[in-house]
Amino acid sequence: MGVRLNKYCAAKLMYGVNSPTAKPPPRPSTLSKEPFLNLAPVHHELGSRAQGAKDKQAQFVCFLCRDSSSTSTCKCKITKICCVTCFMISTGSMTASWSVTFKDPDICAVRGSSVKFRCSYNYADGETVQKTAWYKGQSEGGIWRRVELSVLPLYQNRTEYQGDRHHDCSLVIHDLQHNDTGYYYFRFDTDRYGWRSKASVHLSVTELSVRVYPVTVRAGDNVTLQCGTSCQPSSTVWFKDGRPGAKPEFQAQAEDSGNYMCAIEGQKLLRSGPVALDVQYPPLNVSIEVSHPGPLANGSVNLTCSSAANPAADSYTWYKRTDSFSSSSLLQVGSGQVLSLQVVEKSHRGAYLCQARNSLGENNSTEVPLAAEETDIDLQIILIGIGVKVGILVLLSLALIWVWSMSMIMKISASPNHMVSLKIMYE
């Protein structure tokens, strides 16, 4: 185990299947059959320190050389026998002091959000960390390579190393995009050793999508909203027409028509695309608008019927009540959304209502009373009638006075003293 290593053997032993030219491990549970024993990093100095048996701080390195007498032709290969031998003769387990640990090795996040890789690392006492770096695994020409994030233009100004050179190696990636999906690795170097994480963090970037069941409903039907991602289920919040507070399950009413979006709890600004819900219902809030409110004068007046309906009302019928004491005294007087009364007459007086109808049903407006205004002709007739009555009363009064006067004269004429009476009467 005391053979000096050339640079080729050192690189082979340090990186093994984790070398830049090696294929990526599918997952930790399915490693290559030809093992890479990550018990110790290779010493930076290829000299006497590599002879680990002579240095208490150095760890043993597994290697075999076909020609141990010539380091220039040394060909290293890890074997199970060699690894077991090294493990048995080493002064201590390297993995106890050198390690990289990811708190969550499988992360799923929404596009546009930020994600944090929580990471910690350990190393032997007495070592000083000189450099830290994160890498992303990429396939280049069929070869799996680890490329440092700092040299990838895609990650410029989007990564934030929140760790330190002690034990924290956490990393934040902002404004996630779909091409950020992949495997990420961490490496740190001390003044004498370098250590790469054998495991990785796998990041999946997903989109939020909304589904409405069913898309078209009638008022009173049940509606279910689903917010879908490829991530593990998490708490979601709902928005209707941009306003929060919508519920994922409800009984549809007319006012529930609109556009719905969802977001992950804590990331309300990252919303899904909108999905429209169409709630159909019969005419509601049927009302009548009169073009000339108040008593009707000579000329014309229009009554307009309006309602809220989905689909829109396609039929309007007008009725006039002829007897306020009978529920069956409705007389149909027209159709269409507008009822026009061209020449207002006394016969137009009464209460009008409108009935709006669509394919889902019908509904009536409240009754609107119309009162005709008295015309000038009507006033003249009334005045003439009053004048005739007054004239007749005056003539009758004069006739009564004349009859009374004549009767008195005749009585006086028949009396013997009529001359005296007449004299007195006329005096």
Side-chain angles (χ1 to χ4, degrees):
M1 301 297 294
V3 179
R4 297 171 64 86
L5 302 178
N6 61 19
K7 293 183 179 180
Y8 175 83
C9 295
K12 187 72 174 179
L13 291 172
M14 175 186 286
Y15 299 118
V17 297
N18 286 332
S19 69
T21 59
K23 294 183 179 180
R27 296 304 291 170
S29 59
T30 57
L31 295 176
S32 171
K33 292 182 178 179
E34 186 173 318
F36 168 73
L37 186 63
N38 203 0
L39 291 177
V42 171
H43 213 290
H44 285 185
E45 301 175 10
L46 301 177
S48 60
R49 290 176 181 263
Q51 302 176 19
K54 296 181 180 180
D55 190 340
K56 293 183 180 180
Q57 296 297 325
Q59 300 295 328
F60 285 93
V61 178
C62 294
F63 65 92
L64 289 179
C65 290
R66 294 180 181 177
D67 185 358
S68 58
S69 62
S70 175
T71 58
S72 61
T73 60
C74 172
K75 301 297 181 181
C76 301
K77 183 177 181 182
I78 306 301
T79 66
K80 293 180 180 180
I81 297 176
C82 171
C83 292
V84 172
T85 303
C86 284
F87 179 77
M88 292 176 64
I89 66 175
S90 62
T91 59
S93 174
M94 190 66 176
T95 55
S97 56
W98 294 77
S99 65
V100 175
T101 304
F102 303 118
K103 184 176 180 180
D104 188 358
D106 230 330
I107 300 177
C108 185
V110 178
R111 185 177 68 88
S113 66
S114 298
V115 67
K116 183 174 184 177
F117 299 159
R118 300 183 184 277
C119 169
S120 62
Y121 64 104
N122 291 300
Y123 46 90
D125 294 339
E127 296 292 331
T128 301
V129 176
Q130 300 294 334
K131 180 182 177 182
T132 60
W134 277 89
Y135 294 76
K136 183 180 181 183
Q138 292 186 345
S139 179
E140 300 178 0
I143 300 176
W144 184 260
R145 299 181 184 275
R146 297 183 183 187
V147 183
E148 190 172 345
L149 296 185
S150 61
V151 302
L152 293 174
L154 176 64
Y155 293 91
Q156 295 299 316
N157 302 320
R158 291 202 302 124
T159 58
E160 179 185 356
Y161 182 68
Q162 294 187 344
D164 50 38
R165 292 188 177 181
H166 299 285
H167 296 286
D168 188 357
C169 50
S170 298
L171 176 74
V172 175
I173 303 178
H174 300 285
D175 190 21
L176 291 176
Q177 303 300 319
H178 287 295
N179 50 10
D180 291 329
T181 297
Y183 294 90
Y184 294 81
Y185 306 85
F186 177 72
R187 170 177 174 160
F188 68 95
D189 291 271
T190 67
D191 50 357
R192 296 187 298 171
Y193 298 96
W195 187 273
R196 281 185 172 180
S197 63
K198 188 174 183 181
S200 63
V201 175
H202 182 258
L203 172 65
S204 299
V205 180
T206 184
E207 291 275 4
L208 289 174
S209 60
V210 178
R211 293 183 179 181
V212 180
Y213 298 100
V215 175
T216 301
V217 298
R218 292 189 178 186
D221 291 348
N222 293 324
V223 175
T224 300
L225 304 177
Q226 291 184 351
C227 187
T229 69
S230 60
C231 302
Q232 293 294 326
S234 55
S235 298
T236 56
V237 290
W238 288 93
F239 301 83
K240 176 183 177 292
D241 296 330
R243 297 185 296 273
K247 297 180 179 180
E249 294 184 358
F250 55 91
Q251 193 174 56
Q253 302 299 326
E255 60 272 16
D256 292 325
S257 290
N259 293 316
Y260 289 82
M261 296 176 288
C262 71
I264 301 297
E265 184 69 46
Q267 301 178 6
K268 295 183 179 180
L269 297 180
L270 300 173
R271 303 176 186 178
S272 67
V275 173
L277 173 64
D278 184 25
V279 181
Q280 297 186 343
Y281 49 93
L284 301 174
N285 304 323
V286 184
S287 61
I288 297 175
E289 181 182 357
V290 182
S291 60
H292 302 292
L296 301 180
N298 289 329
S300 63
V301 64
N302 292 331
L303 305 181
T304 303
C305 185
S306 61
S307 67
N310 186 21
D314 53 13
S315 175
Y316 299 89
T317 306
W318 291 92
Y319 296 91
K320 177 185 174 184
R321 187 174 295 282
T322 59
D323 185 357
S324 59
F325 300 101
S326 174
S327 60
S328 61
S329 60
L330 290 177
L331 176 65
Q332 182 175 340
V333 293
S335 61
Q337 191 170 5
V338 179
L339 176 65
S340 295
L341 304 177
Q342 296 300 328
V343 179
V344 178
E345 302 174 354
K346 290 183 180 180
S347 60
H348 290 150
R349 296 176 182 175
Y352 289 79
L353 66 84
C354 167
Q355 183 183 81
R357 181 185 297 108
N358 67 2
S359 59
L360 300 179
E362 60 189 31
N363 207 345
N364 295 339
S365 70
T366 56
E367 296 183 4
V368 174
L370 294 183
E373 187 180 59
E374 297 291 349
T375 64
D376 293 340
I377 296 176
D378 293 337
L379 183 59
Q380 291 176 3
I381 293 174
I382 292 173
L383 293 177
I384 292 173
I386 294 174
V388 170
K389 291 179 181 180
V390 171
I392 292 173
L393 291 175
V394 171
L395 290 175
L396 287 174
S397 299
L398 292 175
L400 290 173
I401 293 173
W402 183 80
V403 171
W404 179 79
S405 299
M406 291 304 295
S407 64
M408 291 298 295
I409 293 172
M410 290 179 67
K411 288 181 180 180
I412 294 173
S413 298
S415 173
N417 301 320
H418 67 280
M419 294 300 293
V420 177
S421 300
L422 289 174
K423 183 179 180 180
I424 294 172
M425 182 179 66
Y426 285 108
E427 287 180 355

